[in-house]
Amino acid sequence: MSYLEIDRLSVRLRGGGPLLRQVSLTVAAGEVRGLVGESGAGKSMIGKAVLGILPRSTEITAGRIVLDGVDLLTLPPAERRRRIGATCALIPQDPLTALNPSRRIGPQITDRLVDILGWPRVRAEARARELLAEVYIPDPERVMRSYPHELSGGMRQRILIASAFAAEPKLIVADEPTTALDVTVQKQILKLIKEMQERHGTALLFVTHDLGVVSKVCQSLSVLYAGLVVEDCAVRDFFRAPGHAYSAALLAATPKYTDAVASLTPVPDTVIAAVRAEVAAADRRMSHG
Amino acid sequence: MRLLRTFLMRLATTAVTLFGVAVIVFVVIRVVPGNPIAMMLPPGATEADVARLSALYGLDKSIPQQFLIWAGGVLQGDFGTSITTRQPVLALVLGRLPATLELSVMALVMAVIIGGFAALTGTRLRGTRTEGAIDVANGMALSVPDFLWGLVLILMFGVLVPIFHISGRVTPSLDLPFVTNFYLFESLIRLRLDLWADIVAHMFMPALALAIPLSAIIGQLLKQSLKETMHLDYVTLSRTKGYGENHVILREALPNAILPTLTLVGVQFTFLIGGTVIIERLFSYEGLGNMAIDAVINRDLPLIQGIVILFAAIFTAVNLLVDLAYAALNPRLRHA
Ligand SMILES: Nc1ncnc2c1ncn2[C@@H]1O[C@H](COP(=O)(O)OP(=O)(O)OP(=O)(O)O)[C@@H](O)[C@H]1O
Ligand SMILES: [Mg+2]
């Protein structure tokens, strides 16, 4: 039984074209699923839909988002928010903008525990210290009293990771959590997320366009093109033999240490044409109900 | 250390500013036509009378000489004597200052409440008709100057539905127990709510007239700033934690959105104080501004100088306060 099940979810721009086309995917408890695809494919949209933070300019037109057996889209908004806040979390892309500049770090970690989950403040603070230590932050006490601008980008991403795990969520959405970081820090942060995920047994929806990262962190994978899932498979199978021409082209376009020429291979036009035809077919299916 | 140096620098620039203002005013009011002595004397006074009085007020000397004498006095706390009332300028001005301060602060408080409410409501209901209505109201409030709002208010609440007083600071027949001229403040301290209500009923319309344009500026700027802040990542992150719209606006967005508004409010507040001159006249409110107009009409040179210097000092003080408030609210500056 999967913890998260997205079932034929369609999202469109209000008064405009589709952004997600009948997306279906599942994430089992403790599983890490990668979401890959080129820029604008709709990877972030899926994460936002799950967390209830789709932009106001978009709307869900069909589908279900079932979290722990409950379809979130049928719940009243306040109830849905609470449920998401209590069981899910986000590790954002840019640690420099994801912390409130005018609030101290401590309250930004404990606020959910106290306000949404109703923990006593003392316990929440102890929990925050514990988590900060887990993400290898020296002197958690001092960091909790700091303001974001006093800390480095890598530190802030560690803090955001600690904050995401603080309430022991069942599911975490990580939206390109390392792209905004310094290359030297990227590896550490990736390793840290993996380590925390394994220790806490959290399911993870991992948005990235780096297939190298997918091979290290994920067990399953959804490949997106223009809001359509073109392949849904186990990561092991994907790297052995991609099930779709587009996936194969993506894989071929991924930099390999052994073959510098392959990294320059663009996705061939014939493959693009084929996948576009699939998108058009999906749109016809959608418009016929 | 750094704070102290900044403060001393500010003090120095303030002194230079006040000196410049003093020089300009001093020269201008002596160059424009109109002789204060001629206005004091009855018709048929002789040349000799004029010369005698001019000498008495030191007006027979050259302008630089007059300035040195006046500035020397000011440095010792002597702003000269009013020509029309023959009372010390300093006492006159300080006697009126509380009335104008109370009016300005009341107007500022009103503007912050109205503008803040408009901005928060507009942000909460963004994209709805209410937001549109708030924008239209803001535009209207901005396109009409304060003294015209004064006239509109007089017609509405003074004539059509007379619920507020249209002139004066307090009903003259009332027995006032006050020892200071801060009537509004002192009546509250003394728990004389009857007097307080009477004072508020006098102040309400002039304060509101001053407040309306400023509230529109606050409303627009704060709403703009809030809307930009609402798109930032930390606001989105807060939503994923389970917080609703109200919390997100008030706790996450507002503290950051206030900063750019604050600086502008400081500048606008000095304009508002400037606006008291005409508004006080319109509502016959016995403050500094009203006194300034009388002083100009009567060519009461020492009094004009005193009032202008005081206004300039208030302006610089307001700007200093705004800078301090900005530093206090912004953690980035607080630790610098
Ligand atoms: N706030 C928004 N309003 C309207 N359309 C949006 C908004 N944000 C994204 N989109 C559109 O939705 C589509 C999917 O965007 P999304 O952010 O999910 O892409 P992505 O796969 O995450 O890309 P990237 O790798 O660049 O992050 C894009 O076509 C984008 O233009
Ligand atoms: Mg994205």
Side-chain angles (χ1 to χ4, degrees), chain A residues 51 53 56 81 85 90 97-103 108 111-112 115-116 147 149-150 160, chain B residues 124 126 233-234 236-237 239-245 247 251-252 255-256 331-332 334-335:
Chain A
L51 294 173
I53 49 171
R56 284 168 166 242
R81 265 199 323 264
L90 170 71
T97 56
L99 287 166
N100 189 329
S102 64
R103 296 178 63 206
Q108 296 196 56
D111 56 2
R112 177 200 328 239
D115 298 340
I116 308 294
Y147 285 94
H149 69 93
E150 298 167 311
L160 287 160
Chain B
R124 178 72 179 81
R126 61 193 178 286
D233 289 350
Y234 58 80
T236 309
L237 188 64
R239 290 183 196 284
T240 68
K241 291 177 179 173
Y243 290 109
E245 196 68 12
H247 176 102
R251 288 273 304 279
E252 301 283 344
N256 296 294
R332 255 171 266 218
R334 194 151 57 209
H335 294 269

Coordinates of all heavy atoms in Angstrom, one line a residue, chain A residues 51 53 56 81 85 90 97-103 108 111-112 115-116 147 149-150 160, chain B residues 124 126 233-234 236-237 239-245 247 251-252 255-256 331-332 334-335:
Chain A
L51 N 1.8 19.3 -2.0 CA 1.9 20.2 -0.7 C 0.9 21.3 -0.7 O 0.8 22.0 0.3 CB 3.3 20.8 -0.7 CG 4.5 19.8 -0.5 CD1 5.8 20.5 -0.6 CD2 4.4 19.1 0.9
I53 N 0.5 23.9 -2.6 CA 1.0 25.3 -2.8 C 1.1 25.6 -4.3 O 2.0 26.3 -4.7 CB 2.4 25.5 -2.1 CG1 3.3 24.3 -2.5 CG2 2.3 25.6 -0.6 CD1 4.8 24.5 -2.1
R56 N -1.7 30.6 -7.6 CA -3.1 30.9 -7.8 C -3.5 31.0 -9.3 O -4.6 30.9 -9.6 CB -3.3 32.3 -7.2 CG -3.4 32.3 -5.7 CD -3.4 33.7 -5.2 NE -3.8 33.7 -3.8 CZ -4.9 34.3 -3.4 NH1 -5.6 35.0 -4.2 NH2 -5.2 34.3 -2.1
R81 N -4.7 21.6 4.8 CA -3.5 22.3 5.2 C -2.9 21.6 6.4 O -1.7 21.3 6.5 CB -3.8 23.7 5.5 CG -3.6 24.7 4.4 CD -3.4 26.1 4.9 NE -4.2 26.5 6.1 CZ -5.4 27.1 6.0 NH1 -5.9 27.4 4.8 NH2 -6.1 27.4 7.0
G85 N 0.6 19.7 6.7 CA 1.6 20.3 7.6 C 2.1 19.2 8.6 O 3.2 19.2 9.0
L90 N 8.7 20.1 3.1 CA 9.4 20.5 1.8 C 10.9 20.9 2.1 O 11.2 21.5 3.1 CB 8.7 21.8 1.2 CG 9.4 22.5 0.1 CD1 9.3 21.6 -1.2 CD2 8.8 23.8 -0.2
T97 N 16.7 32.0 0.1 CA 15.4 32.7 0.1 C 14.3 32.0 0.9 O 13.2 32.5 1.1 CB 14.9 32.9 -1.3 OG1 14.8 31.7 -1.9 CG2 15.8 33.8 -2.1
A98 N 14.7 30.8 1.4 CA 13.6 30.0 2.0 C 13.5 30.2 3.5 O 12.7 29.6 4.2 CB 13.8 28.5 1.7
L99 N 14.4 31.0 4.1 CA 14.3 31.3 5.5 C 13.9 32.8 5.6 O 14.4 33.6 4.9 CB 15.6 31.1 6.2 CG 16.0 29.6 6.4 CD1 17.4 29.4 6.8 CD2 15.1 29.0 7.5
N100 N 13.0 33.0 6.6 CA 12.5 34.4 6.8 C 13.6 35.3 7.4 O 14.1 35.0 8.5 CB 11.3 34.4 7.7 CG 10.6 35.7 7.7 OD1 11.2 36.8 7.6 ND2 9.3 35.7 7.9
P101 N 14.0 36.3 6.7 CA 15.2 37.1 7.1 C 14.9 37.8 8.4 O 15.9 38.2 9.1 CB 15.4 38.2 6.0 CG 14.1 38.2 5.2 CD 13.5 36.8 5.4
S102 N 13.7 38.1 8.8 CA 13.5 38.8 10.0 C 13.1 37.9 11.2 O 12.7 38.4 12.3 CB 12.4 39.9 9.8 OG 11.2 39.3 9.5
R103 N 13.2 36.6 11.1 CA 12.9 35.8 12.2 C 14.2 34.9 12.5 O 14.9 34.6 11.7 CB 11.7 34.8 11.9 CG 10.4 35.5 11.7 CD 9.3 34.5 11.3 NE 9.1 33.6 12.4 CZ 8.6 32.4 12.2 NH1 8.3 31.9 11.0 NH2 8.4 31.6 13.3
Q108 N 11.8 29.3 13.5 CA 11.4 28.9 12.2 C 11.4 27.4 12.1 O 10.8 26.8 11.2 CB 12.3 29.5 11.1 CG 12.2 31.0 11.1 CD 12.8 31.6 9.8 OE1 12.5 31.2 8.7 NE2 13.8 32.5 10.0
D111 N 8.2 26.4 14.9 CA 6.8 26.9 14.8 C 5.8 25.8 14.4 O 4.7 25.8 15.0 CB 6.8 28.1 13.9 CG 7.3 27.8 12.5 OD1 7.7 26.7 12.2 OD2 7.3 28.8 11.6
R112 N 6.1 25.0 13.5 CA 5.2 23.9 13.1 C 4.9 23.0 14.3 O 3.7 22.6 14.5 CB 5.8 23.1 11.9 CG 4.8 22.0 11.5 CD 5.5 20.9 10.7 NE 6.6 21.3 9.9 CZ 6.6 21.1 8.5 NH1 5.6 20.5 7.9 NH2 7.7 21.5 7.8
D115 N 2.7 25.2 16.8 CA 1.4 25.8 16.4 C 0.5 24.7 15.7 O -0.7 24.7 15.9 CB 1.6 26.9 15.4 CG 2.4 28.1 16.0 OD1 2.4 28.2 17.2 OD2 3.0 28.9 15.2
I116 N 1.1 23.8 14.9 CA 0.3 22.9 14.2 C 0.2 21.6 14.9 O -0.9 21.0 15.0 CB 0.9 22.6 12.8 CG1 1.2 24.0 12.1 CG2 0.0 21.7 11.9 CD1 0.0 24.8 11.7
Y147 N 20.1 34.9 13.1 CA 19.2 35.3 12.0 C 19.9 34.6 10.7 O 21.1 34.4 10.7 CB 19.2 36.8 11.8 CG 18.3 37.4 12.8 CD1 18.8 37.9 14.0 CD2 16.9 37.5 12.6 CE1 18.0 38.5 14.9 CE2 16.1 38.1 13.6 CZ 16.6 38.6 14.7 OH 15.8 39.1 15.6
H149 N 20.8 35.7 7.9 CA 21.9 36.3 7.1 C 23.2 36.1 7.8 O 24.3 36.4 7.3 CB 21.6 37.8 7.0 CG 21.7 38.6 8.3 ND1 22.8 39.2 8.8 CD2 20.7 38.8 9.3 CE1 22.5 39.7 9.9 NE2 21.3 39.5 10.3
E150 N 23.2 35.6 9.0 CA 24.5 35.3 9.7 C 25.1 34.0 9.4 O 26.1 33.6 9.9 CB 24.3 35.4 11.2 CG 23.8 36.8 11.7 CD 23.3 36.8 13.1 OE1 22.5 35.9 13.5 OE2 23.7 37.7 13.9
L160 N 17.3 23.8 6.9 CA 16.1 23.5 6.2 C 15.8 22.0 6.2 O 14.7 21.6 6.3 CB 16.0 24.1 4.8 CG 15.9 25.6 4.8 CD1 16.4 26.2 3.5 CD2 14.5 26.0 5.1
Chain B
R124 N -5.2 40.2 1.7 CA -6.0 39.0 2.1 C -7.0 38.6 1.0 O -7.2 37.5 0.7 CB -6.7 39.2 3.4 CG -7.6 38.1 3.9 CD -6.7 37.0 4.4 NE -7.5 35.8 4.9 CZ -8.0 34.9 4.1 NH1 -7.8 35.0 2.8 NH2 -8.7 33.9 4.6
R126 N -6.9 39.5 -2.2 CA -6.3 39.9 -3.5 C -7.0 39.1 -4.7 O -7.3 37.9 -4.5 CB -4.8 39.7 -3.6 CG -4.3 38.3 -3.3 CD -2.8 38.4 -3.1 NE -2.2 37.1 -2.8 CZ -2.4 36.4 -1.7 NH1 -3.1 36.9 -0.7 NH2 -1.8 35.2 -1.5
D233 N 9.9 32.5 -1.2 CA 10.0 31.1 -0.8 C 9.7 30.9 0.7 O 9.0 29.9 1.0 CB 11.4 30.6 -1.1 CG 11.7 30.5 -2.6 OD1 10.7 30.6 -3.3 OD2 12.8 30.2 -3.0
Y234 N 10.1 31.8 1.6 CA 9.8 31.5 3.0 C 8.4 31.5 3.3 O 7.9 30.9 4.2 CB 10.7 32.3 3.9 CG 10.5 33.8 3.8 CD1 9.4 34.5 4.4 CD2 11.5 34.6 3.1 CE1 9.3 35.9 4.2 CE2 11.3 35.9 3.0 CZ 10.2 36.6 3.5 OH 10.1 37.9 3.4
T236 N 6.0 30.6 1.1 CA 5.5 29.3 0.6 C 5.8 28.2 1.6 O 5.0 27.3 1.9 CB 6.1 29.0 -0.8 OG1 5.9 30.2 -1.6 CG2 5.5 27.8 -1.4
L237 N 7.1 28.2 2.1 CA 7.5 27.2 3.0 C 6.6 27.2 4.2 O 6.2 26.1 4.7 CB 8.9 27.4 3.4 CG 9.6 26.3 4.3 CD1 9.6 25.0 3.5 CD2 10.9 26.6 4.7
R239 N 3.5 28.0 4.3 CA 2.2 27.4 4.0 C 2.3 25.9 4.1 O 1.3 25.2 4.5 CB 1.8 27.7 2.5 CG 1.4 29.2 2.3 CD 1.0 29.3 0.9 NE 1.0 30.7 0.4 CZ 0.0 31.5 0.7 NH1 -1.0 31.1 1.5 NH2 0.1 32.8 0.4
T240 N 3.4 25.3 3.6 CA 3.5 23.8 3.7 C 3.5 23.3 5.1 O 3.3 22.1 5.4 CB 4.8 23.3 3.0 OG1 5.9 23.7 3.8 CG2 4.9 23.9 1.6
K241 N 3.8 24.2 6.1 CA 3.8 23.8 7.5 C 2.4 23.6 8.0 O 2.3 23.1 9.1 CB 4.6 24.8 8.3 CG 6.1 24.8 8.0 CD 6.8 25.9 8.9 CE 8.3 25.9 8.6 NZ 9.0 27.0 9.3
G242 N 1.4 24.1 7.3 CA 0.1 24.0 7.7 C -0.6 25.3 8.1 O -1.7 25.4 8.6
Y243 N 0.1 26.4 7.9 CA -0.4 27.7 8.3 C -1.4 28.3 7.2 O -1.2 28.0 6.0 CB 0.7 28.8 8.5 CG 1.5 28.5 9.7 CD1 2.8 28.0 9.6 CD2 1.0 28.7 11.0 CE1 3.5 27.8 10.8 CE2 1.7 28.4 12.1 CZ 3.0 28.0 12.0 OH 3.7 27.7 13.1
G244 N -2.4 29.0 7.7 CA -3.4 29.6 6.8 C -3.0 31.0 6.4 O -2.0 31.5 6.8
E245 N -3.8 31.5 5.5 CA -3.6 32.8 4.9 C -3.3 33.9 5.9 O -2.3 34.7 5.8 CB -4.8 33.2 4.0 CG -4.5 34.2 3.0 CD -3.6 33.8 1.9 OE1 -3.3 32.6 1.8 OE2 -3.1 34.7 1.2
H247 N -2.2 33.9 9.1 CA -1.0 33.8 9.7 C 0.2 34.1 8.8 O 1.1 34.8 9.2 CB -0.8 32.3 10.2 CG 0.5 32.1 10.9 ND1 0.7 32.0 12.2 CD2 1.8 31.8 10.3 CE1 2.0 31.8 12.5 NE2 2.6 31.7 11.4
R251 N 2.4 37.1 10.1 CA 3.6 36.7 10.7 C 4.8 36.6 9.8 O 6.0 36.9 10.2 CB 3.4 35.4 11.5 CG 2.5 35.5 12.7 CD 3.4 35.8 13.9 NE 4.4 34.9 14.2 CZ 4.3 33.7 14.7 NH1 3.1 33.3 15.1 NH2 5.3 32.9 14.9
E252 N 4.6 36.1 8.6 CA 5.8 35.9 7.7 C 6.0 37.1 6.8 O 7.1 37.6 6.7 CB 5.6 34.7 6.8 CG 5.4 33.4 7.6 CD 6.7 32.9 8.2 OE1 7.8 33.3 7.7 OE2 6.6 32.0 9.1
P255 N 6.2 41.6 8.6 CA 7.4 42.1 9.2 C 8.5 42.5 8.2 O 9.2 43.5 8.4 CB 8.0 41.0 10.1 CG 6.8 40.1 10.4 CD 5.9 40.2 9.2
N256 N 8.5 41.8 7.1 CA 9.5 42.2 6.0 C 9.0 43.2 5.1 O 9.7 44.0 4.5 CB 9.9 40.9 5.2 CG 10.6 39.9 6.1 OD1 11.7 40.1 6.5 ND2 9.9 38.8 6.3
P331 N 16.9 43.2 11.3 CA 18.0 42.4 12.0 C 19.3 42.6 11.3 O 20.4 42.5 11.9 CB 17.5 41.0 11.9 CG 16.3 40.9 11.1 CD 15.8 42.3 10.8
R332 N 19.3 42.8 10.0 CA 20.6 42.9 9.2 C 21.4 44.1 9.7 O 22.6 44.1 9.8 CB 20.3 43.0 7.8 CG 20.7 41.8 7.0 CD 20.2 41.9 5.6 NE 18.9 41.3 5.5 CZ 18.5 40.5 4.5 NH1 19.3 40.4 3.5 NH2 17.3 40.0 4.5
R334 N 20.7 45.6 12.7 CA 20.8 45.6 14.1 C 22.2 45.1 14.6 O 22.7 45.5 15.6 CB 19.7 44.7 14.7 CG 19.5 44.8 16.1 CD 18.0 44.5 16.5 NE 17.6 43.2 16.1 CZ 16.4 42.9 15.7 NH1 15.5 43.8 15.8 NH2 16.1 41.7 15.3
H335 N 22.7 44.1 13.8 CA 24.0 43.5 14.2 C 25.2 44.2 13.5 O 26.3 43.7 13.8 CB 24.0 42.0 13.9 CG 22.9 41.3 14.8 ND1 23.2 40.8 16.0 CD2 21.6 41.1 14.6 CE1 22.1 40.3 16.5 NE2 21.1 40.5 15.7

